[in-house]
Amino acid sequence: MKKRTKIIIIILAVVVVLIGVIVYISIGELREEDILKQEVVNFSNKDLLNDDFSIEVKTTGDRAYIEEAVKKYYLELSNNIKVIDSYLTNNIELQNVLTLESLINNRPTYEESLKIVSEAKNEVSKALNNIIKLCDEDTIKNLIDKEKLDDPDYYYDFYMQLMGTDKDLEKLKEVKENMETLTSDLEEFLDKVTEILYFLESNDSLITYSDTITFANDDLLLRYQTLVNELSEIANRMNSYSNNI
């Protein structure tokens, strides 16, 4: 009888320990899920243009895989937006293409200036295509590979609850639309800069550079002023849209 009692006590003790371990693990997982939720919220609320998106994974297991994937996603989105903005505000070479000094140094073919403009247009186009892809709903759905999850049914649904809400998708749609508009204007701006450079090249023999640009006749001056005014209109339009990034 005593032996049976001891066995029962041992079994109960083991059960209690197992339950304790399960509860401990469950509490730990729930705590990590809360951490994951907060990390996703923190990253999604960052300013894509100005904030730092350095990645530090704070969870483990499936949650860590999701956390890292989401943070890398926002990092890539931010990097591409910053590429476009750099050509709007920080690219000194591009900003100086039409300065008097640059025009004098690069005449008569303006080969280096045209190269700067062409490279800018290519980089902006590449960044925009990346942004459009990143903002696509299918990209969000496929960001997580179910085969890499230990518990794919639970944690993929958990991921979609974090990233695939109507609010999230609407926000990404807005980012995409703003960037499409801004990039369209920027490409139009670069095309107009190119048009001005080709105009100056084709009329180089009729242009004098000193403290200002002097044209041999009023028709050329009027055409040049029209091109510059058109460029200014595009620039003003870009400034209004850039505030919505």
Side-chain angles (χ1 to χ4, degrees):
M1 189 70 177
K2 290 182 178 180
K3 185 177 181 180
R4 184 181 297 175
T5 301
K6 286 182 179 180
I7 293 173
I8 292 173
I9 292 173
I10 292 172
I11 292 173
L12 288 174
V14 171
V15 170
V16 169
V17 170
L18 288 174
I19 291 174
V21 170
I22 292 171
V23 170
Y24 177 79
I25 293 173
S26 297
I27 291 174
E29 289 186 345
L30 289 173
R31 186 182 297 116
E32 282 208 353
E33 286 182 5
D34 288 338
I35 293 173
L36 174 57
K37 289 177 184 177
Q38 190 58 53
E39 287 300 302
V40 171
V41 169
N42 290 344
F43 260 60
S44 65
N45 287 337
K46 282 177 178 283
D47 186 317
L48 290 167
L49 178 59
N50 298 306
D51 284 344
D52 175 39
F53 284 81
S54 298
I55 296 174
E56 178 187 356
V57 178
K58 299 181 179 180
T59 56
T60 60
D62 285 347
R63 297 166 296 278
Y65 171 61
I66 293 172
E67 182 186 352
E68 185 175 16
V70 170
K71 289 183 174 180
K72 284 183 176 179
Y73 169 83
Y74 279 109
L75 173 63
E76 185 177 359
L77 184 60
S78 174
N79 285 344
N80 280 282
I81 288 176
K82 287 171 181 175
V83 166
I84 293 177
D85 180 70
S86 70
Y87 284 102
L88 282 170
T89 59
N90 300 320
N91 192 296
I92 302 301
E93 283 188 331
L94 184 60
Q95 292 175 1
N96 290 336
V97 159
L98 292 181
T99 62
L100 186 61
E101 181 182 1
S102 177
L103 293 176
I104 293 173
N105 291 336
N106 287 284
R107 68 182 301 198
T109 62
Y110 305 100
E111 181 178 353
E112 185 61 30
S113 299
L114 290 167
K115 180 182 177 182
I116 291 171
V117 175
S118 177
E119 288 179 351
K121 189 173 181 180
N122 288 337
E123 290 301 312
V124 166
S125 178
K126 187 192 304 181
L128 175 63
N129 288 334
N130 289 337
I131 292 169
I132 291 173
K133 181 180 178 181
L134 288 168
C135 291
D136 188 83
E137 187 173 347
D138 287 338
T139 299
I140 301 298
K141 291 179 178 179
N142 296 319
L143 194 63
I144 299 299
D145 184 353
K146 285 187 177 182
E147 294 183 359
K148 294 184 178 181
L149 294 170
D150 294 328
D151 188 356
D153 293 333
Y154 177 78
Y155 274 107
Y156 184 79
D157 288 342
F158 185 80
Y159 159 74
M160 287 303 296
Q161 291 172 19
L162 295 176
M163 287 287 288
T165 66
D166 291 340
K167 182 180 178 181
D168 293 324
L169 296 176
E170 185 61 32
K171 181 179 178 180
L172 291 174
K173 180 182 177 183
E174 184 179 345
V175 170
K176 174 184 172 182
E177 289 174 350
N178 284 338
M179 295 310 301
E180 284 178 330
T181 301
L182 183 58
T183 304
S184 175
D185 286 338
L186 181 52
E187 289 180 344
E188 186 180 352
F189 179 88
L190 296 174
D191 286 341
K192 187 60 64 175
V193 172
T194 301
E195 185 179 356
I196 291 173
L197 291 172
Y198 279 131
F199 168 79
L200 295 174
E201 178 187 5
S202 63
N203 294 285
D204 185 73
S205 62
L206 300 173
I207 300 173
T208 302
Y209 291 95
S210 55
D211 293 335
T212 59
I213 303 176
T214 305
F215 294 89
N217 58 67
D218 291 340
D219 288 339
L220 287 176
L221 175 60
L222 180 60
R223 176 58 182 153
Y224 177 72
Q225 289 175 335
T226 299
L227 290 171
V228 171
N229 288 339
E230 290 170 350
L231 187 68
S232 296
E233 289 176 6
I234 301 169
N236 291 335
R237 202 161 66 233
M238 286 194 303
N239 287 335
S240 64
Y241 282 121
S242 63
N243 295 326
N244 295 322
I245 295 178

